[in-house]
Amino acid sequence: MTGLAGKSRTFVDTVLLHPLLLEVADEWFTDICSDYQLNIAHLLLRDPGADRQLLHRDEDVWVHLQQLVAGQDRHPEVQLAVLSALSDFTADNGATVLVPGSHLWERDRQPAEHEIVPAVMPSGSAVIYRGSVLHGGGANHSAQPRRGIHHSYVVGWLRTEESGLLAVPPAVARTLPRRAQELVGYGCHDAIDQLGGYLGVLDLRNPADLLASGELEQT
């Protein structure tokens, strides 16, 4: 199930706006953008018999970022991902597997099996990882499905995987807290004090302000 921010107020209040997650994200993105945004939010189900997912880096969706820095020092970490367990994650039922330290590897290095670690955790827990870490859904050898929520934050100057403005239309966005509105795409990336500019404006104004005033309905 995709577009969780527009479908579940519980997700918004208890996951997207979780104080600890926002505290980590605030620190994570402080030096590389004026503000960050929700990249994608979806519910994932690993049914019994599911094979292990191909190991990948979430940041590779922005393939041009990799191409721009090819042969140079790595680009800044632009993404922070969170996987929240809605059921117990075990090595047997398809817990997400990660490769610690792989964010420092050469792009073509593949992990040995002993370097791949399952994110074993009880329901209600979460694992946080950077977009440059190799990971994937684990194989489910159990008789029960494994459920989790994946969402990620990304710098405010990159296009997101999921269109927040379509996933959370104005009528829904208006009911959300201001910070949630900003995260799902109704905020403005203001880099004026860094000799940059505004990104995401409407009529040269912050869309969140237009939501608050009711003017967005009339646009």
Side-chain angles (χ1 to χ4, degrees):
M1 180 184 293
T2 60
L4 286 185
K7 297 172 181 174
S8 171
R9 181 60 184 264
T10 299
F11 165 75
V12 171
D13 291 341
T14 65
V15 182
L16 179 64
L17 297 180
H18 192 288
L20 178 59
L21 296 182
L22 293 184
E23 182 179 346
V24 173
D26 287 347
E27 179 67 23
W28 185 260
F29 292 110
T30 186
D31 293 329
I32 55 175
C33 62
S34 296
D35 199 6
Y36 53 92
Q37 59 189 324
L38 176 66
N39 176 51
I40 191 171
H42 51 177
L43 186 149
L44 302 174
L45 177 70
R46 303 288 293 171
D47 276 322
D51 294 328
R52 190 167 80 185
Q53 186 182 23
L54 179 70
L55 294 177
H56 61 282
R57 293 177 169 91
D58 284 345
E59 68 173 26
D60 284 349
V61 296
W62 298 287
V63 62
H64 300 92
L65 195 60
Q66 305 297 335
Q67 295 170 348
L68 285 171
V69 299
Q72 306 174 38
D73 292 336
R74 289 185 54 78
H75 62 74
E77 296 282 353
V78 298
Q79 183 184 21
L80 192 67
V82 182
L83 186 63
S84 304
L86 298 183
S87 55
D88 292 346
F89 276 35
T90 71
D92 192 50
N93 75 356
T96 296
V97 296
L98 300 103
V99 185
S102 57
H103 62 291
L104 301 174
W105 293 3
E106 295 295 327
R107 302 295 298 182
D108 57 354
R109 177 181 166 185
Q110 295 299 310
E113 195 62 31
H114 72 273
E115 296 176 298
I116 303 173
V117 180
V120 174
M121 55 184 174
S123 177
S125 304
V127 59
I128 305 172
Y129 58 95
R130 59 184 78 201
S132 56
V133 168
L134 284 169
H135 69 284
N140 190 345
H141 301 296
S142 76
Q144 301 296 325
R146 186 274 280 168
R147 298 181 178 86
I149 289 175
H150 169 270
H151 80 282
S152 63
Y153 307 101
V154 68
V155 292
W157 42 265
L158 272 180
R159 186 165 188 176
T160 58
E161 289 185 72
E162 187 171 69
S163 173
L165 298 180
L166 295 177
V168 189
V172 176
R174 188 168 292 105
T175 68
L176 302 181
R178 171 75 180 225
R179 187 59 182 136
Q181 294 172 350
E182 294 168 345
L183 287 171
V184 301
Y186 290 87
C188 174
H189 187 269
D190 179 1
I192 293 294
D193 62 351
Q194 300 168 29
L195 303 182
Y198 292 120
L199 300 176
V201 298
L202 180 62
D203 293 333
L204 300 180
R205 295 176 61 189
N206 190 324
D209 292 338
L210 298 176
L211 267 181
S213 67
E215 296 174 77
L216 191 55
E217 281 187 325
Q218 303 168 23
T219 302

